[in-house]
Amino acid sequence: MRLGSIFFYPIKSTSGHEVAEAEVQPWGLAGDRRYLVVDERGEPITAREHPIMLACVALADGAAIKLTGPHADPLRVVPTSRRFTANVWGTPVEVTDCGDDAAAWMAALIGRPARLAWLDDPTRRPVDPAYGLPGDRVSLADGYPLLLTTTASLARLGDWVAETAAELGEEIPRPLDMRRFRPSVVVEGADEAFAEDGWRRLRIGEVEFRAAKGCDRCVLTTVDPDTYAKGKEPIRTLNRHRRWDGKVWFGVNLIPDGTGVIRRGDPVTVL
């Protein structure tokens, strides 16, 4: 098996970037989900409810980030010195405000009051202790530092989606894009679909990881990453084939047991 793709997402729930290599840090890939959009109460605003957020592209610009989108001129954002507490899926996390200009830019894109926040210290947020060790940390990702998917599992899911459409007399949809699942790393060459369900430890290049738990999937996977339109798939088909514990599953969450650079094409070994 080998590492086929690497993605990172500077701002949670906005557009990602595919890169040839990335630095693995204890809390995730370097630069991944260190920014978050929140409402007036400090609650996350995500593309689950506002798919247009996927049209926001953020690029590193020195100590700042540059935002581009379809609704306004590009904006260079430098975090301020003002801090506040965001509620990241039930965990209070101290974050740094990115200023009124960034807030206005985001609010105009989303269509509701919003602020952009930066996690200046990624050691603040622990991983769920039920699945991690006391020292494990995560950035502003949903729960774990990295998400792994495999092309074999996507191919199998695509076959199931086509079968579902045929059974219901619907037009066969175009193949699913892996970007719907917002992975960090995509593995090619697995012998079987969903083999990753049974992985507990693995090495990508020279970096080792623990597979903490499977990834339960939400409605964001039903949003087309190019048109931002919502549909029924793949949740409808995952409900038929990959449902247990009241949730549907695709991919596994990883916690690094080391640091280093991973590169597209690196060997992937299950330990």
mmCIF file of all heavy atoms in Angstrom, residues 55-59 61 64-78 101-102 104-106 108-109 116:
data_model
loop_
_atom_site.group_PDB
_atom_site.id
_atom_site.type_symbol
_atom_site.label_atom_id
_atom_site.label_comp_id
_atom_site.label_asym_id
_atom_site.label_seq_id
_atom_site.Cartn_x
_atom_site.Cartn_y
_atom_site.Cartn_z
ATOM 1 N N ALA A 55 -16.756 27.312 -0.521
ATOM 2 C CA ALA A 55 -16.224 28.207 -1.547
ATOM 3 C C ALA A 55 -15.108 29.097 -1.008
ATOM 4 O O ALA A 55 -14.440 29.787 -1.784
ATOM 5 C CB ALA A 55 -17.350 29.089 -2.107
ATOM 6 N N CYS A 56 -14.901 29.087 0.293
ATOM 7 C CA CYS A 56 -13.833 29.877 0.904
ATOM 8 C C CYS A 56 -12.514 29.128 0.782
ATOM 9 O O CYS A 56 -12.407 27.981 1.206
ATOM 10 C CB CYS A 56 -14.146 30.154 2.370
ATOM 11 S SG CYS A 56 -12.776 30.926 3.276
ATOM 12 N N VAL A 57 -11.505 29.793 0.214
ATOM 13 C CA VAL A 57 -10.163 29.223 0.089
ATOM 14 C C VAL A 57 -9.223 30.055 0.949
ATOM 15 O O VAL A 57 -9.185 31.290 0.836
ATOM 16 C CB VAL A 57 -9.688 29.229 -1.371
ATOM 17 C CG1 VAL A 57 -8.258 28.698 -1.473
ATOM 18 C CG2 VAL A 57 -10.628 28.404 -2.245
ATOM 19 N N ALA A 58 -8.478 29.395 1.820
ATOM 20 C CA ALA A 58 -7.532 30.087 2.706
ATOM 21 C C ALA A 58 -6.118 29.613 2.379
ATOM 22 O O ALA A 58 -5.865 28.416 2.288
ATOM 23 C CB ALA A 58 -7.858 29.801 4.167
ATOM 24 N N LEU A 59 -5.216 30.567 2.214
ATOM 25 C CA LEU A 59 -3.823 30.267 1.917
ATOM 26 C C LEU A 59 -2.924 30.945 2.938
ATOM 27 O O LEU A 59 -3.189 32.085 3.343
ATOM 28 C CB LEU A 59 -3.450 30.757 0.516
ATOM 29 C CG LEU A 59 -4.138 30.053 -0.653
ATOM 30 C CD1 LEU A 59 -3.854 30.800 -1.950
ATOM 31 C CD2 LEU A 59 -3.672 28.612 -0.765
ATOM 32 N N ASP A 61 -0.058 33.087 4.407
ATOM 33 C CA ASP A 61 0.595 34.309 3.927
ATOM 34 C C ASP A 61 1.464 34.839 5.059
ATOM 35 O O ASP A 61 1.087 35.765 5.775
ATOM 36 C CB ASP A 61 -0.455 35.334 3.494
ATOM 37 C CG ASP A 61 0.151 36.601 2.897
ATOM 38 O OD1 ASP A 61 1.368 36.597 2.639
ATOM 39 O OD2 ASP A 61 -0.595 37.578 2.700
ATOM 40 N N ALA A 64 0.010 35.294 8.541
ATOM 41 C CA ALA A 64 -1.406 35.549 8.329
ATOM 42 C C ALA A 64 -1.968 34.493 7.379
ATOM 43 O O ALA A 64 -1.272 33.575 6.956
ATOM 44 C CB ALA A 64 -1.599 36.944 7.749
ATOM 45 N N ILE A 65 -3.250 34.638 7.050
ATOM 46 C CA ILE A 65 -3.846 33.849 5.982
ATOM 47 C C ILE A 65 -4.563 34.788 5.029
ATOM 48 O O ILE A 65 -5.012 35.879 5.420
ATOM 49 C CB ILE A 65 -4.825 32.774 6.515
ATOM 50 C CG1 ILE A 65 -5.944 33.407 7.343
ATOM 51 C CG2 ILE A 65 -4.113 31.698 7.285
ATOM 52 C CD1 ILE A 65 -7.064 32.431 7.661
ATOM 53 N N LYS A 66 -4.669 34.370 3.788
ATOM 54 C CA LYS A 66 -5.372 35.145 2.775
ATOM 55 C C LYS A 66 -6.641 34.407 2.401
ATOM 56 O O LYS A 66 -6.602 33.228 2.041
ATOM 57 C CB LYS A 66 -4.486 35.341 1.547
ATOM 58 C CG LYS A 66 -5.126 36.183 0.455
ATOM 59 C CD LYS A 66 -4.179 36.339 -0.727
ATOM 60 C CE LYS A 66 -4.811 37.177 -1.838
ATOM 61 N NZ LYS A 66 -3.891 37.317 -3.003
ATOM 62 N N LEU A 67 -7.767 35.087 2.506
ATOM 63 C CA LEU A 67 -9.067 34.504 2.199
ATOM 64 C C LEU A 67 -9.512 34.930 0.807
ATOM 65 O O LEU A 67 -9.430 36.105 0.449
ATOM 66 C CB LEU A 67 -10.119 34.968 3.208
ATOM 67 C CG LEU A 67 -9.805 34.799 4.697
ATOM 68 C CD1 LEU A 67 -10.967 35.326 5.530
ATOM 69 C CD2 LEU A 67 -9.507 33.351 5.026
ATOM 70 N N THR A 68 -9.985 33.987 0.023
ATOM 71 C CA THR A 68 -10.628 34.308 -1.243
ATOM 72 C C THR A 68 -11.963 33.596 -1.296
ATOM 73 O O THR A 68 -12.144 32.515 -0.720
ATOM 74 C CB THR A 68 -9.769 33.879 -2.448
ATOM 75 O OG1 THR A 68 -9.557 32.469 -2.410
ATOM 76 C CG2 THR A 68 -8.420 34.584 -2.432
ATOM 77 N N GLY A 69 -12.920 34.227 -1.980
ATOM 78 C CA GLY A 69 -14.252 33.670 -2.095
ATOM 79 C C GLY A 69 -14.998 34.336 -3.227
ATOM 80 O O GLY A 69 -14.525 35.318 -3.809
ATOM 81 N N PRO A 70 -16.199 33.846 -3.540
ATOM 82 C CA PRO A 70 -16.942 34.365 -4.693
ATOM 83 C C PRO A 70 -17.692 35.664 -4.425
ATOM 84 O O PRO A 70 -18.279 36.224 -5.344
ATOM 85 C CB PRO A 70 -17.928 33.234 -4.983
ATOM 86 C CG PRO A 70 -18.184 32.620 -3.636
ATOM 87 C CD PRO A 70 -16.872 32.703 -2.902
ATOM 88 N N HIS A 71 -17.670 36.126 -3.169
ATOM 89 C CA HIS A 71 -18.562 37.205 -2.773
ATOM 90 C C HIS A 71 -17.871 38.531 -2.499
ATOM 91 O O HIS A 71 -18.537 39.564 -2.354
ATOM 92 C CB HIS A 71 -19.274 36.801 -1.482
ATOM 93 C CG HIS A 71 -18.338 36.682 -0.316
ATOM 94 N ND1 HIS A 71 -17.285 35.794 -0.311
ATOM 95 C CD2 HIS A 71 -18.258 37.367 0.863
ATOM 96 C CE1 HIS A 71 -16.615 35.934 0.829
ATOM 97 N NE2 HIS A 71 -17.186 36.868 1.543
ATOM 98 N N ALA A 72 -16.544 38.542 -2.391
ATOM 99 C CA ALA A 72 -15.832 39.748 -1.974
ATOM 100 C C ALA A 72 -14.388 39.677 -2.445
ATOM 101 O O ALA A 72 -13.905 38.624 -2.883
ATOM 102 C CB ALA A 72 -15.874 39.885 -0.441
ATOM 103 N N ASP A 73 -13.699 40.804 -2.352
ATOM 104 C CA ASP A 73 -12.278 40.833 -2.694
ATOM 105 C C ASP A 73 -11.491 39.972 -1.711
ATOM 106 O O ASP A 73 -11.912 39.772 -0.564
ATOM 107 C CB ASP A 73 -11.753 42.269 -2.639
ATOM 108 C CG ASP A 73 -12.316 43.147 -3.747
ATOM 109 O OD1 ASP A 73 -12.721 42.593 -4.787
ATOM 110 O OD2 ASP A 73 -12.353 44.386 -3.565
ATOM 111 N N PRO A 74 -10.337 39.459 -2.127
ATOM 112 C CA PRO A 74 -9.487 38.713 -1.194
ATOM 113 C C PRO A 74 -9.132 39.562 0.023
ATOM 114 O O PRO A 74 -9.041 40.794 -0.057
ATOM 115 C CB PRO A 74 -8.248 38.382 -2.022
ATOM 116 C CG PRO A 74 -8.733 38.393 -3.435
ATOM 117 C CD PRO A 74 -9.771 39.481 -3.486
ATOM 118 N N LEU A 75 -8.942 38.888 1.157
ATOM 119 C CA LEU A 75 -8.650 39.592 2.409
ATOM 120 C C LEU A 75 -7.484 38.915 3.119
ATOM 121 O O LEU A 75 -7.506 37.696 3.321
ATOM 122 C CB LEU A 75 -9.884 39.582 3.321
ATOM 123 C CG LEU A 75 -9.718 40.253 4.687
ATOM 124 C CD1 LEU A 75 -9.568 41.772 4.530
ATOM 125 C CD2 LEU A 75 -10.898 39.928 5.598
ATOM 126 N N ARG A 76 -6.489 39.699 3.482
ATOM 127 C CA ARG A 76 -5.383 39.186 4.289
ATOM 128 C C ARG A 76 -5.741 39.372 5.759
ATOM 129 O O ARG A 76 -6.089 40.482 6.187
ATOM 130 C CB ARG A 76 -4.082 39.907 3.957
ATOM 131 C CG ARG A 76 -2.857 39.326 4.668
ATOM 132 C CD ARG A 76 -1.582 39.982 4.169
ATOM 133 N NE ARG A 76 -0.390 39.333 4.725
ATOM 134 C CZ ARG A 76 0.203 39.701 5.862
ATOM 135 N NH1 ARG A 76 -0.266 40.722 6.562
ATOM 136 N NH2 ARG A 76 1.276 39.054 6.296
ATOM 137 N N VAL A 77 -5.661 38.294 6.528
ATOM 138 C CA VAL A 77 -6.116 38.295 7.919
ATOM 139 C C VAL A 77 -4.938 38.040 8.847
ATOM 140 O O VAL A 77 -4.205 37.058 8.681
ATOM 141 C CB VAL A 77 -7.191 37.203 8.138
ATOM 142 C CG1 VAL A 77 -7.600 37.140 9.608
ATOM 143 C CG2 VAL A 77 -8.398 37.453 7.248
ATOM 144 N N VAL A 78 -4.770 38.921 9.816
ATOM 145 C CA VAL A 78 -3.767 38.754 10.868
ATOM 146 C C VAL A 78 -4.509 38.665 12.193
ATOM 147 O O VAL A 78 -5.270 39.577 12.531
ATOM 148 C CB VAL A 78 -2.774 39.925 10.904
ATOM 149 C CG1 VAL A 78 -1.757 39.720 12.031
ATOM 150 C CG2 VAL A 78 -2.065 40.067 9.568
ATOM 151 N N ASP A 101 -12.681 42.895 10.272
ATOM 152 C CA ASP A 101 -12.705 42.752 8.813
ATOM 153 C C ASP A 101 -12.939 41.292 8.427
ATOM 154 O O ASP A 101 -13.720 40.996 7.514
ATOM 155 C CB ASP A 101 -11.402 43.262 8.202
ATOM 156 C CG ASP A 101 -11.280 44.775 8.258
ATOM 157 O OD1 ASP A 101 -12.298 45.456 8.513
ATOM 158 O OD2 ASP A 101 -10.165 45.279 8.041
ATOM 159 N N ALA A 102 -12.257 40.385 9.119
ATOM 160 C CA ALA A 102 -12.452 38.956 8.841
ATOM 161 C C ALA A 102 -13.870 38.530 9.202
ATOM 162 O O ALA A 102 -14.490 37.729 8.488
ATOM 163 C CB ALA A 102 -11.437 38.128 9.612
ATOM 164 N N ALA A 104 -16.581 40.410 9.141
ATOM 165 C CA ALA A 104 -17.497 40.927 8.123
ATOM 166 C C ALA A 104 -17.397 40.114 6.829
ATOM 167 O O ALA A 104 -18.409 39.835 6.177
ATOM 168 C CB ALA A 104 -17.187 42.398 7.860
ATOM 169 N N TRP A 105 -16.176 39.713 6.468
ATOM 170 C CA TRP A 105 -15.966 38.930 5.246
ATOM 171 C C TRP A 105 -16.683 37.584 5.364
ATOM 172 O O TRP A 105 -17.389 37.152 4.442
ATOM 173 C CB TRP A 105 -14.467 38.747 5.035
ATOM 174 C CG TRP A 105 -14.042 38.283 3.692
ATOM 175 C CD1 TRP A 105 -13.606 39.048 2.643
ATOM 176 C CD2 TRP A 105 -13.960 36.918 3.231
ATOM 177 N NE1 TRP A 105 -13.265 38.255 1.568
ATOM 178 C CE2 TRP A 105 -13.479 36.942 1.899
ATOM 179 C CE3 TRP A 105 -14.253 35.692 3.808
ATOM 180 C CZ2 TRP A 105 -13.279 35.783 1.150
ATOM 181 C CZ3 TRP A 105 -14.064 34.525 3.056
ATOM 182 C CH2 TRP A 105 -13.585 34.579 1.751
ATOM 183 N N MET A 106 -16.508 36.916 6.497
ATOM 184 C CA MET A 106 -17.156 35.622 6.708
ATOM 185 C C MET A 106 -18.667 35.757 6.789
ATOM 186 O O MET A 106 -19.416 34.935 6.249
ATOM 187 C CB MET A 106 -16.616 34.965 7.976
ATOM 188 C CG MET A 106 -15.268 34.307 7.815
ATOM 189 S SD MET A 106 -15.394 32.885 6.695
ATOM 190 C CE MET A 106 -13.678 32.364 6.660
ATOM 191 N N ALA A 108 -20.536 37.948 5.389
ATOM 192 C CA ALA A 108 -21.078 38.205 4.058
ATOM 193 C C ALA A 108 -21.136 36.921 3.226
ATOM 194 O O ALA A 108 -22.061 36.718 2.437
ATOM 195 C CB ALA A 108 -20.232 39.259 3.351
ATOM 196 N N LEU A 109 -20.162 36.057 3.392
ATOM 197 C CA LEU A 109 -20.160 34.783 2.668
ATOM 198 C C LEU A 109 -21.282 33.873 3.150
ATOM 199 O O LEU A 109 -22.024 33.296 2.339
ATOM 200 C CB LEU A 109 -18.812 34.081 2.854
ATOM 201 C CG LEU A 109 -18.715 32.657 2.287
ATOM 202 C CD1 LEU A 109 -18.746 32.694 0.761
ATOM 203 C CD2 LEU A 109 -17.447 31.960 2.788
ATOM 204 N N LEU A 116 -14.146 34.884 12.779
ATOM 205 C CA LEU A 116 -13.081 33.942 12.487
ATOM 206 C C LEU A 116 -12.126 33.917 13.670
ATOM 207 O O LEU A 116 -11.699 34.970 14.166
ATOM 208 C CB LEU A 116 -12.346 34.354 11.216
ATOM 209 C CG LEU A 116 -11.218 33.424 10.751
ATOM 210 C CD1 LEU A 116 -11.763 32.046 10.385
ATOM 211 C CD2 LEU A 116 -10.478 34.034 9.561
#
